[in-house]
């Protein structure tokens, strides 16, 4: 299915209404069902059966991402001038400005995907700080005595860390302004400071507020919304980037969903995710997806390619799946190739999934799966975390089904929940 362009949709505002996007989603699911046998049996089930088997929400939330990426770009673009004005008034475009990216769990990994790219484009210090650290060490975790913007990422905006950190910093740091990127307009984070000129809530479309326990489309859409912070002066370029990512995401779902389903049927007990630069955020998010969706039955961690040699390589066992997010930068890839060739020489791991553009054959061992994404390299390493995350989501989803769990609610006994339960926010 050929996606509509942002230029087309901006001329037809009514097309963003739920009826139109639902129609597009229906056509897209039909195409996936027709072309991907591994999805056909799932999608052909009546919705009631899909809900009972516990995958109705997660499957749609994974598959509708390319369409929602376009919607997110349209929302950002419609507010581009106001966002730019808010950041300028906050003083982050000057030599003394600073940016802090924060969130909890998956939302924190969004910052790790964006940190280096935003620092390069804005030419100011950018750091990623978990919301929990802002609660326990607010003075040490924020830039001292300089104007800064705190970008808070949150699917629901109702977790205690999210609004607790915001309330604390509004009280303690008058030089800090707050950009909230959330998927839930009714969440406490988006609604509690509507009349405060130090707070700007950027609320994404409701369909990105995943109903599943695990975050999938919430994660990638907030990544793309956060990416716009460094591109507000080149919004047309931002829109083209999102359109290209959406086309690549569609192609990836069509070409590799089946192959990733087959990988997930293998008897691996652990999974290690490798990435360099901003892709370490996608690696950590993918590791968390596998851990959550298998209720801890598959143990996971993420590491950089170079970091794997420093001890973590000892955890690469015969039943370990290695998921490798490959760089398109020649220098970075040279280091990554060295590591993968070493793994092959030592015969470590059960199988590798290698994701990238123009993947060299010498790093591929028999039985490995190459997820080839033509055009990814032209977009630049700093812009493609959402595609790597999509691969991680599909692996976690299919492994969850293989283990007989329910992707919408995979946690045995309700150990974890969609929104972290309330706990006391302590103050000094």
């Amino acid at each position: 299915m050929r996606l509509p362009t942002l230029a087309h949709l901006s001329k037809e505002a009514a097309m963003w209404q739920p009826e139109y996007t639902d129609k597009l989603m229906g056509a897209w699911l039909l195409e996936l069902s027709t072309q991907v046998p591994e999805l056909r049996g799932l999608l052909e089930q009546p919705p009631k059966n899909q809900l009972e088997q516990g995958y109705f929400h997660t499957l749609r939330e994974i598959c509708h991402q390319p369409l929602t990426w376009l919607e997110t770009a349209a929302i950002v673009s419609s507010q581009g001038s106001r966002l730019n004005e808010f950041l300028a008034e906050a003083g982050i475009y000057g030599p003394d400005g600073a940016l802090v990216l924060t969130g909890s769990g998956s939302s924190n990994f969004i910052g790790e995907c964006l940190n280096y790219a935003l620092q390069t484009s804005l030419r100011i210090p950018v750091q990623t700080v978990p919301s929990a650290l802002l609660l326990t060490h607010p003075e040490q975790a924020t830039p001292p005595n300089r104007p800064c913007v705190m970008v808070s990422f949150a699917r629901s905006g109702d977790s205690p860390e999210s609004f607790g950190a915001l309330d604390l910093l509004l009280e303690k740091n008058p030089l800090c302004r707050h950009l909230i990127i959330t998927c839930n307009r009714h969440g406490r984070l988006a609604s509690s400071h509507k009349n405060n000129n130090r707070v700007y809530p950027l609320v994404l479309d409701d369909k990105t507020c995943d109903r599943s326990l695990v975050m999938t489309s919430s994660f990638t859409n907030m990544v793309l919304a956060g990416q716009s912070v460094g591109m507000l002066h080149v919004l047309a370029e931002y829109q083209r980037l999102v359109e290209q990512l959406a086309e690549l995401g569609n192609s990836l779902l069509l070409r590799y969903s089946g192959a990733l389903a087959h990988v997930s049927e293998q008897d691996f007990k652990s999974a290690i995710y490798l990435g360099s630069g901003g892709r370490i955020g996608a690696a950590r998010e993918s590791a968390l997806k596998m851990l959550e969706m298998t209720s801890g039955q598959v143990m996971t961690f993420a590491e950089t390619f170079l970091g794997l040699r420093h001890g973590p390589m000892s955890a690469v066992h015969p039943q370990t799946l290695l998921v490798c997010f490959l760089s398109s930068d020649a220098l970075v890839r040279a280091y990554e190739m060295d590591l993968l060739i070493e793994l092959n020489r030592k015969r470590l791991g059960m199988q590798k999934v290698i994701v990238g553009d123009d993947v060299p054959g010498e790093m591929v061992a028999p039985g490995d799966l190459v997820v080839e994404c033509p055009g990814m390299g032209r977009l630049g390493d700093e812009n493609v975390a959402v595609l790597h995350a999509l691969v991680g989501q599909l692996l976690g989803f299919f492994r969850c089904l293989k283990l007989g769990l329910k992707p919408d609610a995979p946690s045995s006994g309700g150990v974890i929940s969609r929104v972290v339960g309330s706990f006391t926010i302590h103050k000094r």
Side-chain angles (χ1 to χ4, degrees), residues 94 122 144 148 244 269 288 298 337 428:
L122 294 172
C148 76
Q244 290 172 302
K269 304 297 184 186
L288 180 60
V298 177
M337 284 184 62
R428 294 192 188 282

Side-chain angles (χ1 to χ4, degrees), residues 78-365:
S78 69
Q79 300 183 45
S81 296
R82 281 180 289 155
L83 273 170
N84 194 45
E85 182 180 346
F86 176 80
L87 295 176
E89 289 178 354
I92 69 163
Y93 291 148
D96 297 326
L99 194 69
V100 179
L101 311 175
T102 190
S104 301
S106 289
S107 295
N108 182 56
F109 301 146
I110 294 170
E112 295 188 350
C113 291
L114 297 173
N115 196 102
Y116 303 115
L118 291 178
Q119 186 160 271
T120 300
S121 59
L122 294 172
R123 302 188 177 215
I124 59 172
V126 178
Q127 63 185 116
T128 298
V129 180
S131 297
L133 192 60
L134 293 173
L135 289 179
T136 58
H137 297 78
E139 295 85 4
Q140 297 97 317
T142 53
N145 303 318
R146 65 191 302 166
C148 76
V149 169
M150 179 83 66
V151 185
S152 298
F153 298 100
R155 169 172 62 176
S156 70
D158 286 323
S159 71
E161 296 103 316
S162 297
F163 56 77
L166 174 63
D167 291 347
L168 180 64
L169 288 171
L170 280 170
E171 176 186 348
K172 299 291 187 182
N173 191 339
L175 293 177
C176 184
R177 295 199 182 195
H178 300 268
L179 170 60
I180 296 166
I181 298 179
T182 181
C183 305
N184 180 18
R185 68 181 63 255
H186 303 295
R188 182 170 170 180
L189 199 63
S191 61
S192 59
H193 296 285
K194 283 184 176 178
N195 298 319
N196 190 329
N197 62 7
R198 289 172 57 198
V199 180
Y200 188 113
L202 175 59
V203 181
L204 306 186
D205 190 271
D206 179 68
K207 67 172 65 68
T208 70
C209 190
D210 298 332
R211 274 58 175 174
S212 171
L213 183 148
V214 299
M215 283 173 56
T216 52
S217 70
S218 298
F219 179 85
T220 58
N221 277 280
M222 285 194 285
V223 167
L224 291 177
Q227 205 159 348
S228 72
V229 171
M231 303 183 73
L232 293 174
H233 58 297
V234 285
L235 276 175
E237 182 180 329
Y238 171 72
Q239 292 173 340
R240 286 193 298 273
L241 170 64
V242 175
E243 286 182 346
Q244 290 172 302
L245 287 169
E247 291 292 347
L248 283 173
N250 262 14
S251 176
L252 195 157
L253 284 163
L254 283 169
R255 294 178 60 197
Y256 292 106
S257 292
L260 292 167
H262 290 304
V263 169
S264 298
E265 292 175 355
Q266 306 305 309
D267 189 26
F268 55 89
K269 304 297 184 186
S270 62
I272 298 173
Y273 297 78
L274 300 174
S276 306
R279 285 178 315 291
I280 190 62
R284 289 189 173 135
E285 167 63 5
S286 297
L288 180 60
K289 287 289 90 69
M290 181 66 76
L291 188 70
E292 288 177 319
M293 285 209 237
T294 62
S295 195
Q297 293 184 48
V298 177
M299 295 304 297
T300 68
F301 70 85
E303 184 54 90
T304 63
F305 281 80
L306 289 176
L308 190 72
R309 290 193 181 95
H310 295 270
M313 191 180 285
S314 61
V316 185
H317 296 150
Q319 289 183 301
T320 298
L321 176 70
L322 289 154
V323 184
C324 312
F325 298 147
L326 202 63
S327 172
S328 297
D329 179 274
L331 175 65
V332 180
R333 179 173 285 198
Y335 285 110
E336 295 173 347
M337 284 184 62
D338 289 346
L339 187 278
L340 296 183
I341 291 169
E342 180 180 343
L343 290 171
N344 292 343
R345 186 179 71 251
K346 293 179 176 178
R347 298 183 180 179
L348 295 176
M350 184 192 75
Q351 183 181 11
K352 295 194 295 296
V353 175
I354 304 173
V355 187
D357 186 1
D358 194 21
V359 177
E362 58 263 38
M363 68 172 65
V364 182

